[in-house]
Amino acid sequence: MTSFAPDSIVLNRKLPLWYQVSQSLRASILGRSPDDPLRLPTEERLAEHYGVSVLTMRQALKELEDEGLISRHRRRGTFIEPGARRGAPVRLLGSVDAIVAQQSGMTTELLGHGRVPVPGGLAEYFPDLTEVAAYHRLRSDEKTGEPTNHAVNHVRPELAEGIDPDDLVRWPMTKVLRDVVKADISRITDTVEARLADPDTARLLEVPLLSPILHYTGVTYDSEGRVLDVAVIHYRGDRFSFTVTLDA
């Protein structure tokens, strides 16, 4: 039986290896084609593929098993769960590769884009600008079509000149900025707070007015501390949870 072939990843030695491997494999699983094999390679082959120990690989697989994306059967092997729910918990840990992985595995619709005045609530991030390029996107569960989150990215105009809107239907903004625009991404800070859905958000996410949602703000900086992008995302509260992992 042919095994599923995961993507490769460049590991960051400052972050837990098991975490990076689990997020990379998770993105590969959620982004797979319908006709891809469901059986994963053996632990040994996966460990060799990622350049980690079998013990590290085992820990990464345990994370995906707990999430319900895979099932492990003694003597038969490890298999992707074809009906696994795509609205998985989002774990925040400071790696660009991890953030790209978390944003994968959903259908994305570009609702609109163009230059707008810097929103009052974001003025502190763009003190030298009067306008930013705004990109509105709605992400939905690939299987059910159910809306899961609404994202608005506010990008510096000079960077927006290198963005093809079609790329934002296929890839997360972080990946487009890093790999297509070749922006100098140094760090990303994340803030999450609970809010109630306003009329526009309730309509887009197809939830009752004043339903609980998770309000996420992600700020992307370059190596000089300049803000490149501010992402404001509203997640359905019944589909997502956030976990922050701190390592000593």
Side-chain angles (χ1 to χ4, degrees):
M1 180 185 296
T2 303
S3 296
F4 177 75
D7 296 334
S8 298
I9 184 176
V10 177
L11 296 175
N12 180 347
R13 296 292 166 177
K14 294 182 179 180
L15 295 173
L17 297 182
W18 68 265
Y19 173 83
Q20 297 177 73
V21 170
S22 71
Q23 293 305 296
S24 175
L25 186 53
R26 178 182 184 276
S28 296
I29 290 172
L30 294 181
R32 72 190 187 282
S33 299
D35 55 351
D36 282 344
L38 293 177
R39 184 173 187 173
L40 290 178
T42 64
E43 290 180 351
E44 291 77 11
R45 287 186 177 275
L46 284 171
E48 181 180 358
H49 173 79
Y50 285 109
V52 298
S53 69
V54 173
L55 185 62
T56 296
M57 193 67 239
R58 195 167 295 159
Q59 189 175 5
L61 291 173
K62 177 66 165 57
E63 176 80 0
L64 298 180
E65 184 180 24
D66 290 344
E67 190 177 322
L69 286 180
I70 64 173
S71 58
R72 307 171 75 186
H73 306 274
R74 189 175 182 182
R75 297 182 180 176
R76 287 181 52 209
T78 302
F79 295 83
I80 298 169
E81 286 292 327
R85 193 168 176 82
R86 304 303 174 91
V90 178
R91 301 179 183 273
L92 303 182
L93 196 60
S95 159
V96 173
D97 283 315
I99 291 171
V100 169
Q102 291 289 359
Q103 297 170 349
S104 302
M106 294 183 185
T107 299
T108 302
E109 177 186 0
L110 183 63
L111 301 179
H113 64 93
R115 293 200 178 192
V116 299
V118 175
L122 304 183
E124 63 179 296
Y125 299 113
F126 301 105
D128 58 327
L129 298 177
T130 58
E131 287 186 331
V132 290
Y135 297 86
H136 293 253
R137 288 173 296 162
L138 184 67
R139 298 191 183 101
S140 304
D141 187 290
E142 287 181 338
K143 186 175 181 180
T144 67
E146 179 183 59
T148 59
N149 67 83
H150 171 241
V152 183
N153 287 85
H154 308 83
V155 182
R156 297 188 69 87
E158 64 269 24
L159 296 178
E161 294 178 1
I163 296 176
D164 183 342
D166 289 340
D167 285 342
L168 294 177
V169 176
R170 297 181 291 168
W171 299 319
M173 177 64 81
T174 306
K175 179 177 175 63
V176 172
L177 288 176
R178 183 188 65 177
D179 299 341
V180 179
V181 180
K182 304 300 182 183
D184 171 27
I185 296 179
S186 175
R187 62 188 174 94
I188 299 175
T189 63
D190 305 291
T191 303
V192 182
E193 57 184 309
R195 291 192 180 180
L196 299 178
D198 59 31
D200 287 340
T201 301
R203 175 180 56 81
L204 287 168
L205 298 183
E206 299 180 5
V207 297
L209 182 64
L210 301 182
S211 295
I213 60 171
L214 293 176
H215 179 89
Y216 163 93
T217 303
V219 184
T220 301
Y221 297 85
D222 65 13
S223 57
E224 297 181 354
R226 186 181 62 160
V227 172
L228 306 179
D229 167 44
V230 178
V232 177
I233 308 176
H234 291 147
Y235 291 91
R236 283 182 56 152
D238 61 342
R239 292 297 306 276
F240 288 90
S241 63
F242 283 75
T243 301
V244 179
T245 301
L246 300 177
D247 294 283

